[in-house]
Amino acid sequence: MAKCLAIADLFIDQEMMENGLALLEEKGITVEVKNWQHEDLEALQKDNITLEKQGSEAVDLSEELLAGIEEYDYIITQFAPIGKKVIDRAKNLKFIGVLRAGIENVNRSYAEEKGITVFNTPGRSETSVSEYAVGLMLSEIRNIARADRKLRNGEWEKYYPNGVLAPELKESVVGLVGYGAIGQKVANLVRPFGGKIIFFDDYFTGETPDTQVSLEELVRQADIISMHYRLTPETKNMLNKEHFKKMKSNAVVINSARSGLINEQDLIEALQTKEITGAAVDVFEQEPLPADHPYLTLENVTITPHIAGSTIGNFANSPKILAARMVNEYLPTSMSTN
């Protein structure tokens, strides 16, 4: 009987794993859940950031997690690293499943050299991140977060960086940089507000009611610019000072995707000089945000601690999505070749 090691963490716990992977048990796969132990979420996040920036070999798994790993045919992980050491010790490993879209914590190329299939979970964050991106748009252009902060400090303030009268989504041009699953979901959420939606995406070729433009045209036309591209060496700093110079003075920039998509220092300078009106940012080059970070001194930026994807539905549904994908796409193929 095939065996699967599922590595739980502080976001997807043992119960979520067991419930979510029940379909694999129904298919005759024995699922054992072990925990990647961390003292708290901050410690887990620290390891996650290290893996995102330095790759799957940057953090080692404990011997407790590695014990008996040669017995497993499948490994399913969210954040726990699966690097060369793990792959070499897992002699029977045929499949690695990652419970999110990003696979920075897995040495994919090495796994595939060994004939191991690597699956991720695309689309798991569609709802959580798209809803959050729209929330950031509304919070920034309508001054919701900063008005709350002012009022709590005893200030009855109605004048903000975008003036006394805030803009409406209905009258705005919303530019989406990236039009994949999340970008399209954002478009679907924004469209009923009545604004015009334009987007840039080198890879989109389908039908859409929205208008596809170049990145240069997007930054010139948009009142709100929201980032939804995958971070790769080619897309790093894809929004930088050259683009901020071309934006409208009333433009606001939203980033709930990856910090590296925007040159952070260039964005800070554009906000400091009021080259653009504002920004809302959930992702940062250094996390947690340092106490002396320039964002903390600016009135024209809304900042949140990397929580766009942090919903119950996002994490609890991930094992279910992956299990269904395994059953539908991988297991029939693997069984037919055995």
Side-chain angles (χ1 to χ4, degrees):
M1 181 178 288
K3 294 184 67 175
C4 174
L5 170 63
I7 305 177
D9 55 49
L10 292 176
F11 284 110
I12 299 181
D13 61 23
Q14 183 163 347
E15 183 178 1
M16 288 181 183
M17 280 290 196
E18 290 171 350
N19 292 339
L21 300 178
L23 181 61
L24 299 185
E25 293 272 5
E26 292 174 14
K27 298 297 179 180
I29 298 170
T30 300
V31 177
E32 182 179 354
V33 181
K34 293 185 179 182
N35 289 295
W36 191 32
Q37 301 284 356
H38 287 85
E39 183 178 344
D40 51 32
L41 290 175
E42 187 173 325
L44 174 58
Q45 184 71 348
K46 183 179 179 181
D47 275 347
N48 291 343
I49 292 167
T50 299
L51 289 164
E52 280 191 8
K53 293 183 181 298
Q54 300 178 34
S56 59
E57 313 302 323
V59 177
D60 290 326
L61 290 181
S62 67
E63 276 301 316
E64 183 180 357
L65 273 175
L66 292 173
I69 200 164
E70 65 278 356
E71 300 174 11
Y72 298 101
D73 303 274
Y74 314 122
I75 294 177
I76 293 175
T77 179
Q78 177 176 223
F79 296 125
I82 310 298
K84 287 184 179 180
K85 294 178 186 176
V86 178
I87 292 168
D88 285 340
R89 286 184 60 168
K91 301 296 185 182
N92 288 323
L93 189 60
K94 304 174 184 68
F95 174 96
I96 300 170
V98 187
L99 295 169
R100 58 197 187 111
I103 56 170
E104 296 90 348
N105 57 315
V106 172
N107 193 324
R108 183 174 192 165
S109 60
Y110 189 70
E112 291 178 345
E113 283 177 20
K114 298 284 187 178
I116 299 166
T117 300
V118 180
F119 265 19
N120 64 348
T121 314
R124 82 155 192 178
S125 299
E126 284 179 27
T127 298
S128 57
V129 175
S130 60
E131 288 181 352
Y132 200 83
V134 177
L136 288 178
M137 292 179 195
L138 291 168
S139 182
E140 180 57 29
I141 69 173
R142 298 302 303 275
N143 304 301
I144 295 170
R146 59 179 63 96
D148 174 83
R149 186 170 65 250
K150 291 282 189 182
L151 201 53
R152 289 177 185 276
N153 289 333
E155 301 175 57
W156 187 265
E157 181 63 74
K158 294 195 175 187
Y159 183 87
Y160 295 100
N162 53 8
V164 177
L165 300 177
E168 298 173 345
L169 269 178
K170 182 180 179 181
E171 302 299 329
S172 298
V173 176
V174 179
L176 305 176
V177 181
Y179 201 70
I182 293 176
Q184 291 177 51
K185 186 86 168 183
V186 171
N188 291 338
L189 293 172
V190 168
R191 203 173 293 116
F193 283 89
K196 178 182 178 181
I197 300 170
I198 61 176
F199 70 92
F200 163 75
D201 194 313
D202 274 329
Y203 304 100
F204 181 80
T205 57
E207 296 294 322
T208 174
D210 305 317
T211 303
Q212 189 168 6
V213 298
S214 68
L215 184 58
E216 298 298 312
E217 291 171 337
L218 186 144
V219 297
R220 291 182 190 278
Q221 294 181 33
D223 302 295
I224 299 168
I225 297 163
S226 190
M227 307 301 294
H228 303 289
Y229 239 69
R230 291 284 298 158
L231 179 61
T232 67
E234 292 73 34
T235 62
K236 186 173 177 59
N237 294 328
M238 67 184 298
L239 216 62
N240 54 59
K241 65 175 63 178
E242 296 306 315
H243 300 98
F244 296 126
K245 289 176 183 176
K246 297 171 184 175
M247 291 180 189
K248 297 178 179 179
S249 59
N250 66 294
V252 300
V253 174
I254 311 296
N255 193 5
S256 56
R258 297 285 188 176
S259 62
L261 293 172
I262 301 177
N263 185 301
E264 189 173 85
Q265 186 56 44
D266 290 353
L267 175 57
I268 289 167
E269 290 177 7
L271 292 168
Q272 288 172 332
T273 61
K274 298 182 172 53
E275 199 164 35
I276 62 174
T277 289
V281 182
D282 184 55
V283 286
F284 310 92
E285 285 299 294
Q286 187 176 349
E287 297 180 4
L289 203 64
D292 60 350
H293 197 282
Y295 280 148
L296 298 172
T297 68
L298 295 169
E299 281 292 323
N300 54 348
V301 62
T302 298
I303 50 176
T304 58
H306 203 152
I307 55 174
S310 299
T311 63
I312 293 173
N314 188 357
F315 290 106
N317 288 331
S318 296
K320 297 177 184 177
I321 295 169
L322 183 68
R325 189 177 179 204
M326 282 180 67
V327 168
N328 293 329
E329 300 179 39
Y330 174 74
L331 292 182
T333 303
S334 65
M335 289 174 180
S336 67
T337 57
N338 287 340

